Amino acid sequence: MHRLTGITLGVPDVASAAAYYTDFGLIPVGRTQRFATTDGGEQLAIRHAARRRLLDLGIGVDDPDDLDRAAAGLRRLGVAVERSGTSVAATDPGTEVRVRVELAPRIAPEPATGPVYNQPGDAARLNERADAIHRNERVRPRKLGHVVLGSTDQEASQRFFTDGLGLKISDTVPGAAAFLRCSTDHHNVLVQRSPVSFLHHTSWQVDDVDEVGRGATAMLEADPSRHVWGLGRHAIGSNFFWYLKDPAGNFSEYYADLDCIVDDALWTPGVWEDARSLYQWGPPPPPSFLAPDDLAALMTGAHSA
């Protein structure tokens, strides 16, 4: 496994969601409700659904042997598997998300030009302004980094992704959530305990903290009500963040500087509690981040369905 290939987002109003993610910096593909990132290619599709939710999640692998391993792991858990020559698909009951493991090329991004910082005792930028001051182009996310899913059976969903599909645990919040990875990124899927299955947020990589701030500033200049939480830095994963809200109620995050795990033997999963399970610094999270305002409506809609 080496990356998330893409997601399908279900929302009641496709047109308004499409306009939001265009403003967010994703690149529209053709005339359909599909969007690309600069490095990951086509990574978002938007479809109609009675309530907001994540319909489909893709995970990329290198060769058919990886598909065999995922299929075998799922079957050991008693999960029904759909198998083709290029993919394995199964639905996790706890999150209600159909996960598709598929053959996909690896991303080979062009390295970003690192910002040059003046620090005490080390003035590396002399007689010129910081490069970020001169940036005026639209912020374009590099790739889809991770998704956060609410599960009505967190432990079973965690087993689905780890014992079934083969994702690895990076960190945990006891009794609440697990940060899981299918790449060298600290996490690609976070499964958290919830009274209803729902999509909490999607997260999109940008080059640096200035791009986090510039992207969020542009979004809020267009519509201040989009603001959710930020600017801040997480302790789990270490990344800078800023969260915004799409018209359906899904949160979307700009992030930069996420932890990278290239050697499993050198990484020890941590157990996190208290405020540091949420953030290292920044404004405190609003109550609506922890329990979205439409959670009761989502529960009613799920029960009706």
Side-chain angles (χ1 to χ4, degrees), residues 227-232 241 275 278-290:
H227 175 70
V228 176
W229 184 29
L231 171 73
F241 66 83
L278 291 168
Y279 68 125
Q280 178 69 20
W281 59 258
S288 62
F289 182 82
L290 304 177

Side-chain angles (χ1 to χ4, degrees), residues 118-178:
N118 286 340
Q119 303 175 58
D122 182 17
R125 189 185 71 252
L126 302 175
N127 306 313
E128 60 181 345
R129 302 183 196 279
D131 81 292
I133 301 303
H134 301 291
R135 299 178 195 171
N136 54 26
E137 69 280 2
R138 170 179 282 190
V139 171
R140 296 286 189 192
R142 289 289 201 111
K143 69 174 183 178
L144 171 65
H146 61 265
V147 297
V148 175
L149 304 171
S151 172
T152 55
D153 190 337
Q154 194 277 333
E155 291 182 355
S157 291
Q158 182 173 323
R159 289 194 299 271
F160 175 92
F161 282 100
T162 56
D163 298 346
L165 296 176
L167 277 71
K168 298 173 182 178
I169 298 173
S170 297
D171 286 303
T172 58
V173 178

